Amino acid sequence: VIAEIHPSISADCDLKVGDTVVYTQPTCSYAEYAAVNIAAVVQVPTDVSLELALPALGIQGLTAHYLVCDAPTGLIAPGDWCLIYSVASGTGQWAAQMAKLQGYKVIGTTSKGKTAPANCCDLVIELDTVPGKTYSDYTSVNIVEQVLQATHQQGVKLILDGVGKATIDISIACLARRGILVSFGNASGAVPPVSLL
């Protein structure tokens, strides 16, 4: 909840003292009060509970925003391809929509029976699920072949990988020259050490 707004913030700012907001900040996140840059704040609508807003806007939405808009700064341009694993997940849905708003071409993976966000993927690769696991079988289809075919053998400039161990080798094989791979989760296990040579 906003306790105070610095006098340097313009009067036309939509935020006011008492508004509920979410933000991400690497330091002071557990403090009782924190000074936060106005650009890092997302207002929670009055008809949305904090229990819903925190994971949706705060954790998933702001994580996706960082992954799409900040992590690859200067390395990907409108019209370039990106690959987003688990595009039907909370963070994946946000990331796909944000990637499209940035002008990227989006390839998303999802388990059969799950729906990728409408109009957010140029290509959806459907995977079988692993019995008894929470992640998909990334060997059930040839992801590398489909990605390289879609990108005319160039690969993707950005990969957002929240899966981890099961996808690291696939990701490296899908990556374009001077592309960026962001591994931000370990749903299938921790990523083993990768040889860069």
Side-chain angles (χ1 to χ4, degrees):
V1 175
I2 296 177
E4 183 179 339
I5 296 178
H6 193 273
S8 66
I9 303 299
S10 69
D12 62 343
C13 175
D14 291 336
L15 298 172
K16 62 186 180 309
V17 172
D19 285 347
T20 301
V21 295
V22 293
Y23 68 95
T24 58
Q25 184 167 303
T27 59
C28 302
S29 292
Y30 294 105
E32 191 171 338
Y33 292 95
V36 180
N37 184 320
I38 196 81
V41 172
V42 177
Q43 185 173 10
V44 177
T46 56
D47 60 339
V48 176
S49 71
L50 196 54
E51 290 77 18
L52 178 62
L54 189 58
L57 295 174
I59 298 169
Q60 296 168 347
L62 292 174
T63 297
H65 185 272
Y66 172 77
L67 294 171
V68 172
C69 302
D70 294 337
T73 300
L75 299 174
I76 183 169
D80 286 342
W81 285 93
C82 70
L83 170 62
I84 301 171
Y85 288 101
S86 304
V87 76
S89 69
T91 302
Q93 289 183 42
W94 281 97
Q97 294 174 67
M98 290 178 192
K100 289 306 281 187
L101 288 172
Q102 295 293 319
Y104 308 154
K105 295 177 186 171
V106 177
I107 300 170
T109 70
T110 187
S111 298
K112 287 181 181 171
K114 292 189 177 179
T115 306
N119 303 316
C120 289
C121 292
D122 298 277
L123 171 65
V124 175
I125 301 173
E126 286 192 340
L127 309 162
D128 293 331
T129 56
V130 177
K133 300 290 182 181
T134 59
Y135 57 90
S136 300
D137 178 3
Y138 289 89
T139 63
S140 65
V141 298
N142 191 330
I143 295 171
V144 176
E145 181 180 284
Q146 290 189 46
V147 167
L148 293 178
Q149 182 178 6
T151 62
H152 305 288
Q153 305 305 310
Q154 298 301 303
V156 294
K157 293 292 282 189
L158 171 64
I159 298 175
L160 302 180
D161 184 353
V163 178
K165 183 178 180 180
T167 53
I168 189 67
D169 292 331
I170 296 166
S171 294
I172 292 170
C174 291
L175 202 56
R177 289 186 63 138
R178 300 190 55 82
I180 182 171
L181 164 59
V182 181
S183 178
F184 68 98
N186 296 313
S188 66
V191 175
V194 176
S195 173
L196 299 177
L197 301 175

